[in-house]
Amino acid sequence: WTAPFRDAQLDDAKASAVAVQSDGKILVGGSYEPNRGMYRGDAWRAVLARLNPDGSLDQGFRSENAPPGKVQLRRPFWREFRTIALQKTKIVVAGEAGFVARLNANGTLDRTFAGGRGSLSVPPLPKNRRRFTRLAGVTDLLVARSGRIFAAGYANGRFLLARLHPNGTFDRRFGSQGMVRVDASRRRGC
């Protein structure tokens, strides 16, 4: 079922994450590729749609420059929403290139998150971003009862788990600077 992603401007799309809000509204996240069939490098873009309980697009949910019912966060290397978690009335999304972002209930970027930026990278992006983004991603999110956010994924061939405070800053008391890296290919530890 691809109805929320298909329209005249979108040529190819895939859904990879779903969450149901307490009011019954459904969030579906994934990516789309404009101009399918025409190679444009890294053309995939992250998109999130919200449906009413009856399956229609929620017209009150949108980001700047996106059609009603959809959120498109246009940042370098953000090609796919891979996971969605709910934090009270906020929506936490994450995906390729290790991005984690928090949205307000209406779909706009929450500027009270991550020191006013609304998003952050797990792990923080190095100077050579292009090489790194092909090797990193957040694949799962969990919001604990305390409000802390756990972001699980991978970076440079290692498992990665980050713990964030509810406001989107790294919990420096966890692991090394808020992150734990595990080399899964070796017999010994982290």
Side-chain angles (χ1 to χ4, degrees):
W1 179 70
T2 58
F5 295 99
R6 300 289 294 177
D7 65 29
Q9 292 83 37
L10 307 182
D11 293 332
D12 197 12
K14 64 180 177 177
S16 54
V18 65
V20 179
Q21 297 179 181
S22 61
D23 62 1
K25 291 185 179 183
I26 306 156
L27 296 160
V28 183
S31 58
Y32 75 94
E33 180 184 27
N35 305 315
R36 183 174 135 190
M38 298 174 60
Y39 181 73
R40 301 181 103 183
D42 294 326
W44 286 92
R45 300 288 181 255
V47 64
L48 180 70
R50 185 164 70 189
L51 308 174
N52 293 310
D54 67 0
S56 62
L57 278 173
D58 178 354
Q59 300 295 311
F61 185 74
R62 70 180 303 173
S63 61
E64 186 177 320
N65 300 321
K70 301 174 190 167
V71 169
Q72 298 170 3
L73 296 179
R74 295 182 181 169
R75 299 281 194 278
F77 313 116
W78 290 14
R79 293 184 207 91
E80 181 178 8
F81 288 119
R82 291 189 178 164
T83 183
I84 305 166
L86 302 173
Q87 187 185 39
K88 297 184 182 178
T89 62
K90 306 290 184 172
I91 302 161
V92 184
V93 293
E96 193 167 333
F99 76 85
V100 177
R102 188 167 74 185
L103 307 175
N104 295 309
N106 66 0
T108 58
L109 199 59
D110 179 1
R111 297 290 182 185
T112 67
F113 187 72
R117 296 182 311 274
S119 64
L120 62 116
S121 213
V122 176
L125 287 174
K127 290 182 181 182
N128 184 359
R129 292 179 181 187
R130 234 186 234 287
R131 180 179 173 277
F132 176 81
T133 58
R134 299 186 190 290
L135 302 172
V138 174
T139 55
D140 203 7
L141 290 169
L142 177 109
V143 177
R145 286 185 187 165
S146 65
R148 282 194 177 103
I149 300 165
F150 290 87
Y154 58 94
N156 298 319
R158 294 182 179 165
F159 291 160
L160 178 72
L161 180 65
R163 185 168 76 185
L164 308 173
H165 290 291
N167 67 1
T169 58
F170 285 97
D171 182 347
R172 306 274 184 215
R173 294 176 300 170
F174 180 75
S176 174
Q177 301 298 308
M179 292 178 285
V180 173
R181 293 172 179 91
V182 178
D183 187 340
S185 65
R186 298 189 183 177
R187 291 181 181 230
R188 287 199 196 163
C190 301

